[in-house]
Amino acid sequence: MLPSGVATGMEQLYQNYKNAVLKSGDPRANEIVLSNMAVAFDRILLDVEDPFIFSPYHKARREPFDYYMFGQNYIRPLVNFKNSFIGNLALFYEMEEKLRQGHNIVLMSNHQTEADPAVIALLLEATNPSIAENMNYVAGDRVLTDPLCKPFSMGRNLICVYSKKHMYDVPELVEMKRKANTRSLKEMALLLRAGSQIVWIAPSGGRDRPDPLTGEWNPAPFDSSSVDNMRRLAEHSGVPGHIYPLALLCYDIMPPPPQVEKEIGERRVVSFHGVGLSLAPEISFTEITAACESPEEVG
């Protein structure tokens, strides 16, 4: 019933997920694996039979099937909470208060794995559940088209874009991708005008990867135009906006392939590991640029 590539990917995912959850030492590990993988396979099969099409702005599907909780329950057994970290928790409360006042928040973040949204939500569910559930993620097209990824994406609020890294993979589709990105930007502008919105974006346009020579992991460089686009959108929304840097560490749970791949259907490697999340204080563009002497420096 499945294309061979999807079937092979599902089998690999099952084995890797099983091994990772068993390593957690949870006495219910076998039961958790069977339960979570049965639901995952069911949702993946449903989508292969009747593919879901994401709109430029996708609202998390919570009923009749709760895709958000499905993603949370699936990733939870992979997180070693005893060896995990949340930095500057007071700033998350500060953000929550600004959202209550009708302000918008933009999080400029690095991007580590396909599980980033679930990891962020799992770390915040005890202290800041409204942030965890209401976050809007700027998402690349690959998590919207890969059959093994789509059911997890359906549980998040997504602003769907085509990443610059894959813009020219198929030359005939470049114009279509640009038009789609313009539509998504308009959706984001509408969203921000409503106020009380929190948007997560990875201005690098892709996941962090280890240095091929040293093996060390560093955040991928941010694309300055992406940063500036988000700043302008926040400033022109007619609602007070705030930009915070967010640091995320979770690559061990689901590391990406060593190199960027053109083909959809990467092999999923998963493991049980600690994760980390931290906010830095709000960035003020006017304060940063006040010391600049010329427009070129500001640019």
Side-chain angles (χ1 to χ4, degrees):
M1 293 173 70
L2 289 171
S4 61
V6 178
T8 302
M10 285 171 74
E11 192 173 350
Q12 288 173 347
L13 178 63
Y14 170 74
Q15 294 297 341
N16 288 337
Y17 186 78
K18 179 183 175 182
N19 291 339
V21 177
L22 287 172
K23 282 180 183 173
S24 72
D26 191 311
R28 293 177 53 247
N30 279 307
E31 181 187 334
I32 290 167
V33 170
L34 286 172
S35 173
N36 286 350
M37 287 308 304
V39 179
F41 285 173
D42 184 47
R43 292 293 136 182
I44 292 165
L45 180 58
L46 276 174
D47 190 72
V48 168
E49 291 174 335
D50 183 18
F52 180 78
I53 307 298
F54 288 87
S55 54
Y57 175 59
H58 167 78
K59 195 76 179 153
R61 299 282 291 267
R62 302 298 302 263
E63 52 186 29
F65 178 83
D66 193 336
Y67 281 89
Y68 173 82
M69 285 312 301
F70 156 65
Q72 295 300 96
N73 293 336
Y74 188 87
I75 300 298
R76 192 187 309 275
L78 300 176
V79 177
N80 181 352
F81 288 97
K82 291 178 181 176
N83 194 30
S84 293
F85 174 81
I86 304 178
N88 294 326
L89 191 56
L91 290 175
F92 287 97
Y93 289 112
E94 177 185 297
M95 270 191 339
E96 210 162 37
E97 181 55 34
K98 285 184 166 73
L99 290 166
R100 274 195 289 268
Q101 293 169 6
H103 298 196
N104 291 321
I105 303 289
V106 175
L107 298 176
M108 299 282 186
S109 175
N110 66 316
H111 176 23
Q112 296 240 299
T113 75
E114 292 173 331
D116 286 2
V119 168
I120 292 168
L122 285 166
L123 287 177
L124 294 178
E125 68 179 358
T127 55
N128 309 90
S130 65
I131 290 179
E133 295 197 33
N134 294 316
M135 188 96 72
N136 298 291
Y137 295 89
V138 178
D141 61 296
R142 297 172 79 77
V143 298
L144 313 177
T145 52
D146 190 314
L148 268 64
C149 210
K150 282 177 71 178
F152 298 95
S153 301
M154 287 166 69
R156 308 290 160 183
N157 302 315
L158 303 177
I159 298 149
C160 307
V161 299
Y162 287 92
S163 167
K164 284 185 179 179
K165 286 188 177 180
H166 297 286
M167 184 63 73
Y168 300 98
D169 285 357
V170 182
E172 307 87 75
L173 298 180
V174 171
E175 194 56 33
M176 179 277 290
K177 290 180 178 181
R178 282 185 177 145
K179 286 178 179 175
N181 281 357
T182 301
R183 283 196 300 273
S184 296
L185 276 173
K186 287 178 180 174
E187 289 286 345
M188 199 187 310
L190 286 171
L191 197 66
L192 292 172
R193 276 180 211 152
S196 295
Q197 301 296 324
I198 179 163
V199 177
W200 177 97
I201 183 170
S204 62
R207 289 168 286 180
D208 303 335
R209 283 177 163 82
D211 184 296
L213 298 176
T214 65
E216 286 188 15
W217 290 77
N218 290 298
F222 283 10
D223 178 77
S224 58
S225 64
S226 294
V227 173
D228 208 45
N229 280 339
M230 283 307 304
R231 177 186 66 81
R232 290 172 194 272
L233 280 167
E235 283 183 358
H236 297 158
S237 67
V239 173
H242 310 272
I243 296 174
Y244 289 82
L246 182 80
L248 188 59
L249 180 69
C250 61
Y251 63 82
D252 280 302
I253 279 185
M254 201 178 288
Q259 283 85 35
V260 176
E261 296 182 354
K262 282 189 179 184
E263 298 301 318
I264 295 290
E266 65 186 58
R267 185 173 182 270
R268 264 72 186 192
V269 178
V270 293
S271 65
F272 175 73
H273 211 276
V275 295
L277 179 69
S278 185
L279 265 185
E282 179 184 353
I283 296 173
S284 168
F285 181 74
T286 49
E287 285 179 18
I288 291 169
T289 55
C292 298
E293 295 177 0
S294 67
E296 288 77 17
E297 281 188 275
V298 173

